Amino acid sequence: EADYIAKAAEFIGTCIQAFQKDFRGKFVIGLSAGNGHVRRARSFDIYQALGQAEGIDWNRVVVFLVDERYGAEQEKDTNTMLVRSSLISALEGRQIRIPEENLVFPKTTLPSWEECAKEYETRLRQLFALRGGPHLVAVSLAPDLSIGSVFPEWYQSDPNNWDAATARGPGVLMTRTTRFEVPQRIAINLRIIRQAEQILVFLGGQSSEGILQADGLDMVKDALLDTSPSVDAVSSVRSLARPKGMVINRSASLSLCDEFLRAEAAAPADRLSGAATTRATPSLGRDAGATADRFA
């Protein structure tokens, strides 16, 4: 677990450093925290470790939230507080401060859920228009196959919800869950996740491991990769022992391993041989063809 946390933080830090070396702008990163004590504690540890990374100009980093819990009874249960108490606190402990304007979080103190979502969408659209990106988005794949508070129970309940989740432009959703704590959520749509240069997906958890090694990973790959909807070559999921993480980038390469992030080119040849698969894109609640067209 400690190695996993260190490698996840190292990967994020390396992405920021590489960007800042080659470009003059600000690195835009979206963070999420997951659901449940174990997953949230893991996210906390990863972001805290990231706050200890050297060689990053944090004045040139903009952090936004992939999702937030609206109406949480205690502030400590919000994703805003998790990021502030982990990443931001670790930086402050080193006398490093991210400018407050570089922290783009939903304003959950607004009078209504609807106002919160609308105001957050406005600021995110302004951010992406000004800074580009996202350059990296970190999300968790939950046991129910939800990604960043885009819950299957929510989008399967109404076709309009799926349309909003897969809209061509960036958007912010108001989603609900009956399975996890804090039922009302603010979540970015899948378009924002898909336009990221790098998508870091946190996997794992004993209760969901079987799902994640089969339908879950295929669902994430087909929903988020910018590839042909029917043909893609990936390492065999079942050949990997207890995968913990996956990286998806816009060039459609996918790295997945039991330790965490290993370059696909460095994997043993027998893992890659015969890995090409041809299959229809599984639907995330709607027609697969419509999904592929909308994501085109």
Side-chain angles (χ1 to χ4, degrees), residues 45 77 101 115 146 157 169 230:
D45 290 343
D77 293 328
E101 60 266 26
E115 288 178 80
S146 60
S157 68
S230 60

Side-chain angles (χ1 to χ4, degrees), residues 204-223:
Q206 293 181 351
S207 64
S208 61
E209 186 174 342
I211 297 176
L212 296 180
Q213 289 188 355
D215 295 338
L217 292 177
D218 286 334
M219 184 272 290
V220 173
K221 172 176 66 66
D222 289 321

Side-chain angles (χ1 to χ4, degrees), residues 50-51 58 86-98:
L50 177 62
W58 288 99
S86 56
L87 173 63
I88 307 306
S89 179
L91 291 172
E92 290 177 346
R94 301 170 55 205
Q95 307 303 309
I96 299 173
R97 293 185 180 276
I98 296 183

Side-chain angles (χ1 to χ4, degrees), residues 12 16 32 58 71 79 85 88 92 117 126 166 168 170 183 206 220 230-231 238 245 250 263 283:
I12 298 173
I16 299 174
S32 184
W58 288 99
N79 291 345
S85 60
I88 307 306
E92 290 177 346
Q126 292 172 345
T166 58
R168 290 188 179 275
Q206 293 181 351
V220 173
S230 60
V231 181
R238 287 187 173 83
R250 295 185 68 184
S283 172

